[in-house]
Amino acid sequence: MSNLQSLESIMPMADAPVQEEKKKKPLEPVEQEYEEGKKFLANGNTAQAAVAFHNVLLAREEEGNETGVANACNQLGNVCMAREEYLQAREHFQRAWKICDKLFDQMSLMSLNRQFLAIHRALKEYDEAINMTLDIFDIYSENRDPHGSVDVLEELADIYQDAGKVSKAADTYRTIASIHKNYKHNKIAAGFVEKAEELDKSAQ
């Protein structure tokens, strides 16, 4: 299971940056239940976590609080991921995505993209996983983020291998090596070249 993600960047809840005087203010009941849900989930108690986040979702819907709805949907998606209920997780994440897209919250959209990618991999939807990984790579490239680019390319190589596309996995390792060479990480680059060569041999 991938690391649990949260969308607090779009909603100033209890663990978001706040002023000192606000930190002393008691949490409202909905916020308290949200925090309890996160604790339940972290402790592996998915049943109680699901109840808590469902209650939060209903309360935020009644308030018309879109960011609160997005956070609750995201956390319900996390609960489903923990249970390996990937289709249900996808539905929750898609609802959160629509709100984040409307609010132009790029950080949360990227977080959700990684969740969708994890779902594609879990369901062995390799073509979709490959396309999504390439899209994520393009975003990192546009932002000139070599660390993010390398991380997502390593995941792409894994997906290619899972899909039986060994030669493409080898090519991906060579691309990673070239990125490291550009930053004079010669030993690391050599390691990825070696991985590529090993895959080439296995494909023969």
Side-chain angles (χ1 to χ4, degrees):
M1 186 184 69
S2 61
N3 290 335
L4 298 180
Q5 302 291 337
S6 63
L7 304 182
E8 272 65 31
S9 61
I10 65 170
M11 184 177 183
M13 298 190 71
D15 48 358
V18 293
Q19 296 177 357
E20 285 299 320
E21 59 270 19
K22 289 186 179 180
K23 288 183 180 179
K24 298 176 183 178
K25 183 179 179 180
L27 296 179
E28 62 168 298
V30 177
E31 290 177 328
Q32 182 64 42
E33 189 152 25
Y34 182 87
E35 293 302 312
E36 289 174 355
K38 290 201 297 185
K39 290 177 183 177
F40 286 136
L41 183 55
N43 292 328
N45 193 335
T46 57
Q48 285 187 275
V51 171
F53 292 132
H54 182 68
N55 289 340
V56 172
L57 176 60
L58 293 177
R60 295 309 188 192
E61 286 176 337
E62 187 174 343
E63 296 168 356
N65 185 332
E66 285 190 312
T67 53
V69 169
N71 276 314
C73 288
N74 177 67
Q75 295 293 359
L76 285 168
N78 288 333
V79 170
C80 291
M81 292 293 283
R83 293 177 170 180
E84 299 183 359
E85 297 171 349
Y86 300 114
L87 295 179
Q88 293 92 325
R90 178 182 285 165
E91 291 179 3
H92 290 303
F93 290 139
Q94 285 174 337
R95 187 175 180 189
W97 169 276
K98 289 179 181 178
I99 296 172
C100 294
D101 188 40
K102 177 181 176 182
L103 298 175
F104 303 103
D105 185 342
Q106 297 303 313
M107 289 185 64
S108 292
L109 290 174
M110 178 64 81
S111 173
L112 287 165
N113 270 337
R114 299 308 293 254
Q115 295 285 42
F116 289 131
L117 177 56
I119 291 170
H120 285 314
R121 293 192 67 179
L123 296 176
K124 298 183 179 180
E125 298 171 345
Y126 296 127
D127 288 342
E128 292 88 345
I130 289 166
N131 290 334
M132 177 159 279
T133 307
L134 291 171
D135 288 342
I136 295 172
F137 173 73
D138 287 342
I139 294 171
Y140 283 127
S141 297
E142 289 172 5
N143 292 333
R144 298 183 180 180
D145 181 350
H147 179 74
S149 297
V150 166
D151 282 349
V152 76
L153 284 174
E154 286 191 62
E155 187 163 9
L156 178 60
D158 290 340
I159 296 169
Y160 276 137
Q161 290 182 75
D162 290 343
K165 299 181 179 182
V166 179
S167 62
K168 288 193 174 183
D171 290 341
T172 303
Y173 282 137
R174 291 189 181 91
T175 300
I176 296 171
S178 68
I179 293 173
H180 280 293
K181 283 181 182 178
N182 288 339
Y183 290 90
K184 302 188 185 302
H185 302 159
N186 294 325
K187 288 185 178 180
I188 298 175
F192 282 105
V193 170
E194 184 176 344
K195 284 186 176 184
E197 291 173 348
E198 289 174 356
L199 287 179
D200 285 336
K201 290 178 182 177
S202 70
Q204 292 176 357

